[in-house]
Amino acid sequence: MRILVVGAAGDIGQVVCDELGQRHDLIRAGRSSGDVQVDLADAASVAAMYAKIGPPDAVISTTGDVHFAPVSQQTAQTFLDSLQQKVIGQVNLVLAGLDVVADGGSFTLTSGILDRVPIPMGSAAAMANGALGGFVRGAAGEMPRGLRINVVSPGLLEVSVPRYGAWFPGHVPVASDRVAQAFVFSVEGTATGQVITVD
């Protein structure tokens, strides 16, 4: 398969590419790196990326920033910014790809654990993750041409502990290879409308 991986340079993107790259042709995308650059928050940028690469068989998104702060210090704008970056950006990737991805292809988005297991300062992330799960469940039954859509919801990756571990008190990190296999399950399997958790 030709698989587009947006966010390929990130922690999750790298483990996904290491696994799927063993048997598929990968197109790596990022905001400032990869085979093609894209800003998911800009619908025109997403459309231009698809026009440049041609039809993929599967699309994976492992990206999306959110604003971490105590809820008392959040504002409507910081919540909107988090939704724009993590939710609407990935939704843009799906909407622009509905007429581009090959028949029977798939979209795999990425959310995270914080809508299930909260942490201090994580309310915006929890909101975004829950929204992605709702979008995938709602959109799955309306996907055209046999397309599938899922979202992977991993815990804190082992490789991410040095940078983010202090933000996740009491969380047991998940093995990178288990997270990679969740994306394999979505891309190479038949599931659709699923929130694939890796705890």
Side-chain angles (χ1 to χ4, degrees):
M1 286 188 281
R2 293 182 75 238
I3 302 176
L4 170 66
V5 183
V6 182
D11 287 351
I12 296 175
Q14 289 182 56
V15 301
V16 169
C17 288
D18 287 346
E19 176 62 34
L20 289 172
Q22 298 177 45
R23 52 194 175 276
H24 301 292
D25 178 19
L26 303 185
I27 305 158
R28 294 169 171 84
R31 193 175 299 169
S32 59
S33 63
D35 304 310
V36 61
Q37 283 73 56
V38 64
D39 177 2
L40 291 188
D42 180 353
S45 176
V46 177
M49 175 196 62
Y50 278 124
K52 182 174 182 179
I53 68 170
D57 298 297
V59 174
I60 294 172
S61 173
T62 63
T63 187
D65 297 327
V66 292
H67 185 74
F68 284 90
V71 70
S72 61
Q73 296 176 21
Q74 295 273 13
T75 65
Q77 190 59 54
T78 61
F79 278 119
L80 283 171
D81 289 344
S82 296
L83 287 172
Q84 182 68 35
Q85 291 297 320
K86 185 153 190 179
V87 181
I88 302 303
Q90 296 193 76
V91 170
N92 283 340
L93 192 63
V94 174
L95 295 179
L98 289 177
D99 295 326
V100 179
V101 175
D103 291 356
S106 68
F107 297 91
T108 305
L109 311 183
T110 302
S111 59
I113 195 173
L114 297 185
D115 61 327
R116 306 188 307 278
V117 184
I119 63 168
M121 303 192 298
S123 58
M127 177 184 65
N129 292 343
L132 283 165
F135 168 69
V136 163
R137 291 188 184 100
E142 300 180 333
M143 300 294 281
R145 302 183 294 105
L147 297 175
R148 298 181 298 106
I149 184 169
N150 298 296
V151 58
V152 174
S153 179
L156 176 67
L157 271 69
E158 288 177 345
V159 296
S160 302
V161 169
R163 280 185 293 168
Y164 303 116
W167 290 15
F168 287 78
H171 283 237
V172 178
V174 296
S176 298
D177 61 341
R178 290 187 58 226
V179 176
Q181 290 305 316
F183 285 87
V184 172
F185 175 82
S186 178
V187 172
E188 296 182 354
T190 61
T192 192
Q194 299 297 306
V195 177
I196 305 164
T197 61
V198 188
D199 292 334

